[in-house]
């Protein structure tokens, strides 16, 4: 189904948008199309034609001078409407200076408006034909786009009698000329086109008399009656089928199609007992079905009756299809399994339009495959002169730009199906152009491109539902040393392990260790949301950092301002936010001059700003901080210093500020949002269990995280602290008015205890550093735990550049680096792991120093990348894009030993059957339950012939990559399989393939008899058809057990019949019902040449319906053929 983006997009107007039109709006649009519109038409040359819809035949006509129809196209064959100005037809004329000279147009005038240009894609082969049009106005273009899509949808939904009437109109309009009559002479020349011969001229004359023709001329109604007689002529014998067996009925007169009738009750019994239609118990539904085929309105009553001609018409109609449409419906619940549990519609060398050696490469091949439901497409990438190109290397196939291909993919990837598309990239580019490819993929697909695992800990692939709208890259990935675990099946790595790779125990350094960079860095603490100073060294591609340095402050209450309501800490957008808050606060309250707030400086570490409301505006001033001999000083001017921020604020509340034009007292203040006093800081819990306390502390991945909770016993408390990743609990009790901790320490208040051990070591090297408040727990839960997880797992060697002061180490060689302005600092450097999770963020007080550290880190990473790329020939940028489809190259006999769910293995189509293959099918099935595999055609198939995908599907291989441009039996099987589940391109494998504990379903038997046909296609002459029926795949040695043929019938493709002992039924034994297909093949044969396939229809056996059924036929490209059908009898036989 076509989706419904805006008119500017490449696809226009879907069925759901059609539903928004009123009947009146629809009528006006269709009327506009019927009247015709003059447009510029681009073909071999640009010409103006009147473009008109002929409703009687459901065709689009180009009408030239003197109302001459020069071209028609069937709406039945219309596949896509695309609105754009860049299609090749438009480009060709835009770029032609000759074209401009002929029409006397400037270059600007000839440039088409994208909203007035559109292209109709139509046809019944793999590569579609196109008709490009340019309307004179946007309104005209939109009406045509909307109207044609409406008619396309209505044509697809039309009932068989409507299609017959349209078909007859087309036959009557000889040479595309509108006519309301047809002569005997014209009819004689028409009969070969209708695929039938008649005995002689007398036969036609008699039929003319029967339908009431005058002067050997038929009007349309008489022509329709003639057709009814003609089609009935050879098939009246079919009615004998229903005179015996269950629900039999007797027809007294079968000479003419209207000579006898079938009442409602008989037809209902036929549906119930012959066709096994349980819905037919509802008489109203039976009546509705009958009225579709009744041509006489007088008989459309509550108790309708079929004429025998109408009954036969029903039997051959698509409304009586052999296929149960419920199997074509999408089941959303079936889309929640891991990706490896599905067969995935896949294409080989998707860009090619023909053979593998000389054919054209085209972006339209990608479009066609995607719109046919393909979900895995291939891109063969090679170095181009200026940019990467796609073609079949080493051949004479043409080249297309990689950029053009991905743009086409982006425009059409999710039109037919919303489920993920896998881009299978066969890489032949050097690393330089691989980087170009990576950037193009990012630029074109943007957020559609999957670059991170949905769940790094998952042991199975995500589901199609989880990956809706995503583009997945299949490509080689630079391997890690710990790619697999001991068992060889690392379906997912934990977050903990990802850190152990980076924050790992370092071995003994070299004696002459080279220090690449050393100095002081300010490292961001995501728990406290502030920077701390650390001594740091870069050596041997690793960053070592010390414990945070004492900052001379916490003495004499210099940090008491942290607990004051007027202190707002760090504010997003600094002075802009402060100005807005003060303005809103004071303006609404007639604020007085001197209203203030204090915040951390945007630009300077350990400095502050005071924002003051004065004279109806906000002024900002810097509060300086300095430290000497461990004593802090705060000051507005160097003339008067204060030991704490609180002392400074209190002084200026009592005394005038005389500074920089100010002359006022500090008065009221703007309180901090959600302010909590220092007596209620949040680390104390009056009602919290020990288990919950441990849960809270485990969420804060920092040693020194702590909380105090009230115990159930009176006057007893518990201090819980995280120490080396373990939660330890210490008893606190009250005795003689004091709080006693661990029977050693005594404090008058719990606050004093916390303040003491925030300054002094509590146990080992641990202080009470991180009060675990409810607000902190909530924030950490909302953030990615990995952003805070590094410190816990940084095991530091004793012999390191910082000695015993070293707190942690980061392996830069396993990192990515980024830099930007954040946290109020002009430049912050961020080190990330390969999953782009933040490990450490740092800056310096001097901007130039930050840049120096960044360059050292960048040089290390670039050097490592260059070495890896030279070794693997894979660009890191491409490698980083590969998440769930990591292409792995291994021999067949070792490929199933070590694997994980993110890998993809590729096999030639004969790998599983060639001699020397020792792999057991169970091993392959087990692999395919966890990971993905792709099977592709072997090299000698230069004609683009396909392999039989059934053996691969039977082994659970998800992606059997076929050449979509080749119309062969194996593509019929592919089309049949992926007609299931709504044509989404994903079909859930049977339960026994997904779960080794489940058994295969039991065998089945199905009996097939070919009875007759109607409207078989013909190309140049009247055909002599026969029908071949096959059960695929063959699972035994005898071919005759899996196929049979009817006899030849000479010179009749309109209404042949195969009855009698020479055409007996065939009973097939179905060994594997989940993966069995019934293929009907109509061919023309004679004694002098090989049979030529005219039509086919292929269905999964699981959806075949019982009874007398129509088989709607398709062409070799699996495109529907108008009215062509077989009549067969199907019987499911109990084994």
């Amino acid at each position: 189904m076509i989706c419904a983006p805006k008119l500017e997009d490449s696809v226009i107007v879907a069925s759901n948008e059609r539903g928004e039109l009123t009947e009146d709006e629809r009528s006006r649009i269709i009327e506009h199309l019927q009247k015709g519109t003059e447009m510029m038409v681009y073909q071999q040359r640009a010409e103006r034609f009147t473009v008109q819809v002929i409703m009687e035949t459901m065709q689009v006509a180009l009408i030239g001078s003197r109302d001459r129809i020069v071209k028609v196209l069937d709406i039945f064959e219309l596949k896509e409407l695309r609105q754009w100005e860049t299609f090749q037809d438009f480009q060709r004329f835009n770029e032609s200076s000759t074209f401009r000279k002929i029409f006397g147009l400037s270059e600007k005038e000839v440039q088409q408006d994208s909203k007035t240009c559109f292209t109709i894609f139509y046809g019944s082969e793999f590569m579609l034909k196109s008709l490009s049009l340019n309307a004179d106005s946007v309104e005209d273009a939109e009406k045509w786009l909307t109207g044609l899509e409406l008619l396309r949808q209505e044509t697809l939904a039309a009932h068989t009698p409507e299609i017959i009437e349209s078909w007859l109109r087309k036959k009557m309009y000889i040479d595309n000329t509108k006519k309301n009559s047809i002569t005997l002479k014209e009819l004689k020349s028409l009969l070969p086109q209708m695929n039938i011969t008649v005995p002689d001229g007398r036969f036609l004359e008699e039929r003319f008399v029967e339908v009431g023709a005058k002067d050997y001329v038929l009007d349309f109604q008489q022509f329709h009656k003639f057709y009814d007689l003609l089609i009935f002529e050879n098939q009246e014998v079919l009615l004998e089928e229903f005179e015996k067996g269950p629900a039999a009925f007797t027809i007294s007169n079968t000479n003419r199609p209207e000579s006898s009738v079938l009442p409602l009750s008989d037809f209902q019994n036929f549906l119930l007992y012959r066709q096994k239609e349980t819905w037919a118990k509802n008489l109203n539904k039976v009546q509705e079905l009958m009225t579709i085929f009744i041509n006489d309105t007088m008989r459309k009553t509550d108790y309708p009756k079929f004429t025998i001609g109408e009954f036969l018409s029903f039997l051959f109609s698509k409304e009586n299809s052999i296929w149960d449409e419920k199997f074509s419906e999408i089941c959303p619940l079936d889309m929640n399994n891991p990706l490896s549990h599905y067969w995935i519609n896949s294409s080989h060398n998707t860009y090619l339009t023909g053979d593998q050696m000389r054919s054209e490469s085209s972006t339209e091949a990608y479009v066609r495959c995607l719109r046919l439901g393909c979900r895995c497409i291939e891109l063969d990438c090679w170095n181009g002169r200026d940019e990467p190109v796609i073609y079949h290397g080493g051949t004479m196939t043409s080249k297309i730009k990689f950029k053009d291909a991905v743009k086409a993919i982006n425009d059409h990837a999710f039109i037919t199906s919303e489920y993920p598309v896998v881009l299978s990239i066969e890489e032949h580019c050097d690393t330089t152009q691989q980087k170009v490819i990576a950037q193009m993929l990012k630029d074109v697909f943007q957020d559609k491109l999957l670059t991170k695992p949905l769940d790094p800990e998952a042991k199975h692939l995500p589901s199609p539902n989880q990956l809706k709208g995503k583009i997945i890259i299949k490509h080689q990935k630079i391997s890690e040393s710990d790619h697999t675990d001991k068992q060889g099946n690392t379906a997912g790595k934990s977050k903990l392990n990802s850190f152990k790779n980076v924050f790992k125990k370092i071995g003994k350094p070299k004696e002459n260790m080279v220090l690449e960079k050393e100095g002081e860095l300010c490292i961001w603490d995501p728990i406290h949301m502030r920077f701390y100073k650390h001594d740091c060294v870069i050596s041997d591609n690793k960053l070592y950092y010390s414990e945070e340095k004492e900052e001379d402050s916490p003495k004499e209450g210099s940090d008491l301002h942290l607990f004051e309501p007027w202190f707002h800490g760090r504010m997003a957008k600094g002075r802009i936010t402060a100005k807005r808050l003060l303005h809103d606060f004071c303006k609404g309250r007639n604020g007085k001059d001197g209203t203030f707030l204090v915040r951390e400086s945007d630009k300077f570490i350990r400095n502050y700003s005071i924002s003051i409301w004065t004279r109806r505006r906000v002024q900002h001033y810097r509060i300086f901080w300095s430290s000497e001999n461990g004593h802090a000083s705060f000051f507005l001017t160097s003339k008067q210093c204060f030991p704490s921020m609180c002392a400074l604020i209190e002084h200026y509340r009592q005394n005038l500020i005389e500074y920089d034009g100010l002359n006022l007292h500090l008065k009221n203040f703007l309180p901090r949002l959600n302010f909590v006093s220092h007596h209620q800081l949040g680390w104390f819990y009056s009602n919290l269990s020990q288990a919950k306390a441990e849960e809270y502390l485990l969420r804060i991945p920092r040693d020194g995280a702590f909380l105090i909770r009230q115990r159930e016993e009176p006057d007893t408390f518990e201090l819980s602290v995280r120490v080396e990743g373990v939660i330890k609990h210490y008893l606190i009790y009250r005795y003689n008015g004091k709080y006693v901790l661990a029977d050693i320490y005594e404090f008058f208040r719990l606050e004093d205890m916390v303040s003491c051990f925030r300054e002094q070591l509590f146990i080992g090297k641990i202080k009470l550093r991180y009060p675990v408040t409810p607000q902190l727990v909530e924030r950490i839960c909302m953030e990615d735990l990995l952003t805070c997880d590094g410190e816990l797992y940084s095991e530091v060697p004793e012999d390191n550049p910082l000695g015993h002061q070293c707190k942690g180490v980061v392996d830069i060689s396993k990192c990515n680096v980024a830099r930007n302005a954040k946290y109020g600092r002009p430049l912050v450097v961020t080190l990330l792991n390969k999953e782009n999770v933040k490990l450490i963020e740092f800056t310096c007080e001097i901007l130039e120093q930050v840049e120096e550290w960044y360059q050292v880190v960048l040089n290390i990473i670039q050097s490592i990348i260059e070495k890896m790329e030279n070794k693997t020939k894979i660009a890191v940028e491409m490698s980083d894009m590969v998440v769930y489809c990591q292409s792995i190259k291994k021999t067949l006999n070792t490929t199933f030993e070590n694997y994980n769910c993110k890998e993809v293995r590729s096999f030639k189509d004969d790998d599983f059957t060639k001699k020397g293959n020792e792999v057991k099918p169970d091993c392959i099935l087990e692999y395919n339950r966890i990971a993905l595999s792709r099977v592709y055609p072997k090299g000698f198939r230069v004609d683009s012939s396909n392999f039989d995908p059934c053996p691969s599907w039977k082994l659970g291989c998800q992606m059997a990559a076929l050449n979509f441009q080749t119309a062969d039996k194996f593509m019929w099987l592919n089309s049949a399989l992926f007609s299931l589940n709504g044509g989404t391109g994903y079909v859930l494998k049977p339960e026994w393939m997904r779960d080794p504990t489940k058994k295969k379903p039991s065998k089945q038997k199905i009996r097939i008899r070919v009875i007759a046909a109607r409207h078989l296609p013909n190309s140049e002459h009247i055909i002599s058809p026969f029908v071949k029926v096959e059960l695929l795949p063959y699972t035994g040695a005898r071919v005759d057990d899996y196929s049979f043929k009817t006899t030849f019938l000479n010179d009749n493709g309109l209404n042949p019949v195969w009855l009698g002992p020479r055409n007996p039924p065939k009973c097939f034994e179905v060994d594997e019902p989940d993966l069995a297909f019934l293929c009907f093949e109509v061919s023309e044969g004679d004694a002098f040449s090989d049979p030529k396939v005219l039509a086919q229809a292929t269905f999964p056996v699981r959806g075949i319906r019982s009874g007398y059924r129509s088989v709607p036929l398709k062409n070799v490209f699996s495109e529907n053929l108008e009215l062509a059908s077989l009549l067969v009898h199907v019987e499911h036989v109990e084994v």
Side-chain angles (χ1 to χ4, degrees), residues 711-771:
R711 288 164 54 97
E712 292 183 2
E713 298 84 354
D715 288 336
T716 61
F717 309 86
E718 191 170 79
L719 169 64
S720 300
V721 189
R722 183 166 179 154
V723 180
E724 296 181 355
V726 179
I727 310 304
K728 296 188 176 183
H729 306 281
Y730 299 90
L731 177 65
I732 304 171
Y733 59 89
R734 294 200 65 176
Y735 180 73
N736 290 336
K738 294 183 180 179
Y739 293 87
V740 182
L741 170 63
D743 290 327
I744 300 175
Y745 306 102
E746 295 182 353
F747 301 93
F748 284 104
R749 301 185 308 160
L750 290 175
E751 292 94 322
D752 297 334
M753 180 189 302
V754 171
S755 295
C756 172
F757 292 113
R758 294 187 77 169
E759 304 299 326
Q760 302 177 22
L761 295 176
F762 174 62
I763 178 172
K765 298 173 68 175
I766 304 300
K767 300 177 182 178
L768 301 185
R769 294 178 55 206
Y770 302 105

Side-chain angles (χ1 to χ4, degrees), residues 556-562 564 566-567 598-600 606-610 623-625 632-635 642-652 666:
E556 299 184 9
S558 63
D559 63 347
L560 292 178
H561 60 274
L562 299 175
E564 293 295 337
W566 41 258
F567 182 71
V598 178
R599 57 186 172 83
E600 287 191 36
R606 212 58 171 134
N607 278 254
Y608 306 88
S609 293
I610 183 169
I623 298 177
F624 296 88
W625 172 87
S633 296
F634 296 82
F635 55 92
F642 302 90
S644 68
M645 178 79 75
C646 294
L648 182 148
I649 296 299
E650 188 60 32
H651 173 82
Y652 288 118
L666 294 180

Side-chain angles (χ1 to χ4, degrees), residues 925-950:
L925 269 172
E926 181 58 34
Y927 168 86
N928 283 320
R929 291 187 182 105
I930 301 296
L932 299 176
S933 60
R934 179 176 181 267
V935 182
Y936 60 92
K938 54 190 173 185
F940 75 77
R941 296 184 183 274
V942 294
D943 59 349
S944 292
S945 61
N946 283 310
F947 60 92
D948 183 355
C950 291

Side-chain angles (χ1 to χ4, degrees), residues 196-473:
I196 192 170
T197 58
V198 295
D200 48 41
R202 186 176 180 82
F203 175 89
L204 290 180
E205 293 175 7
E206 290 174 354
R207 299 304 176 271
F208 265 56
V209 173
E210 271 190 75
V211 299
K214 294 180 179 180
D215 300 326
Y216 295 108
V217 176
L218 302 176
D219 61 22
F220 180 74
Q221 293 302 321
Q222 292 168 335
F223 181 50
H224 200 308
K225 287 181 180 180
F226 171 82
Y227 162 79
D228 292 339
L229 288 171
L230 189 65
I231 202 87
F232 182 77
E233 187 78 28
N234 192 44
Q235 295 186 337
E236 61 185 73
V237 67
L238 301 180
L239 296 169
E240 297 175 6
E241 287 278 319
F242 310 105
E243 294 180 355
K244 51 184 180 291
F249 49 84
T250 302
I251 301 172
S252 58
N253 186 353
T254 61
N255 293 333
R256 294 166 57 88
E258 72 279 3
S259 59
S260 295
V261 294
L262 185 68
L264 172 64
S265 58
D266 282 353
F267 184 59
Q268 184 182 32
N269 288 334
F270 167 77
L271 294 174
L272 285 170
Y273 301 112
R274 296 281 186 124
Q275 307 294 82
K276 312 297 183 186
E277 299 282 17
T278 56
W279 60 265
K281 294 176 183 178
N282 186 327
L283 195 61
N284 289 332
K285 290 186 177 180
V286 179
Q287 291 170 347
E288 290 174 10
L289 178 60
M290 291 184 75
T291 54
I292 292 172
F293 293 88
I294 293 175
N295 194 32
D296 181 3
T297 55
M298 298 297 291
R299 289 187 288 114
K300 292 183 179 182
T301 65
D302 291 340
Y303 296 96
K305 295 179 181 180
F306 266 158
T307 66
I308 53 177
E310 290 164 347
F311 174 63
L312 288 180
S313 182
F314 161 77
L315 289 179
F316 284 93
S317 72
K318 63 180 183 178
E319 287 81 2
N320 184 41
S321 174
I322 191 174
W323 179 245
D324 191 339
E325 286 296 333
K326 74 180 181 184
F327 288 92
S328 293
E329 297 172 0
I330 184 172
C331 181
L333 293 178
D334 280 351
M335 302 301 273
N336 292 324
N337 286 58
L339 217 58
S340 56
H341 288 188
Y342 297 84
W343 288 308
I344 302 172
N345 200 355
S346 304
S347 164
H348 170 252
N349 286 359
T350 313
Y351 49 90
L352 290 179
T353 59
D355 65 51
Q356 304 287 308
M357 299 300 291
R358 299 172 181 270
S359 67
E360 291 291 319
S361 302
S362 172
T363 58
E364 288 303 313
Y366 284 106
V367 175
R368 186 75 167 122
C369 286
L370 288 167
R371 285 178 166 270
L372 287 171
C374 186
R375 296 290 88 189
C376 176
I377 55 180
E378 186 172 12
L379 300 89
D380 283 0
C381 302
W382 296 81
N383 284 346
R385 181 176 298 176
D386 301 312
E387 58 183 297
V389 295
I390 292 175
Y391 80 112
H392 196 198
T395 69
M396 298 175 67
T397 58
S398 63
K399 300 175 182 179
I400 55 174
K401 294 180 180 178
F402 179 86
K403 177 173 60 180
D404 292 341
V406 293
K407 284 181 178 178
I409 294 166
N410 184 59
D411 289 341
H412 299 268
F414 303 107
I415 300 301
T416 297
S417 170
E418 62 185 339
Y419 293 100
V421 173
V422 177
L423 303 191
S424 179
I425 297 179
E426 186 174 316
E427 190 64 82
H428 303 281
C429 294
D430 58 28
T431 54
T432 301
Q433 292 213 357
Q434 284 184 45
K435 295 175 191 290
V436 175
I437 288 174
Q439 191 59 50
M440 286 179 178
L441 292 172
K442 289 179 181 178
D443 292 343
V444 173
F445 294 124
Q446 299 184 17
D447 59 352
K448 296 177 188 174
L449 189 65
L450 185 75
T451 56
K452 296 180 182 179
L454 302 189
D455 180 1
E457 294 184 5
K459 294 183 179 180
H460 296 281
L461 290 166
S463 70
N465 269 336
Q466 291 175 298
L467 294 168
K468 276 183 183 177
K470 288 297 181 183
I471 301 290
I472 302 172
I473 302 300

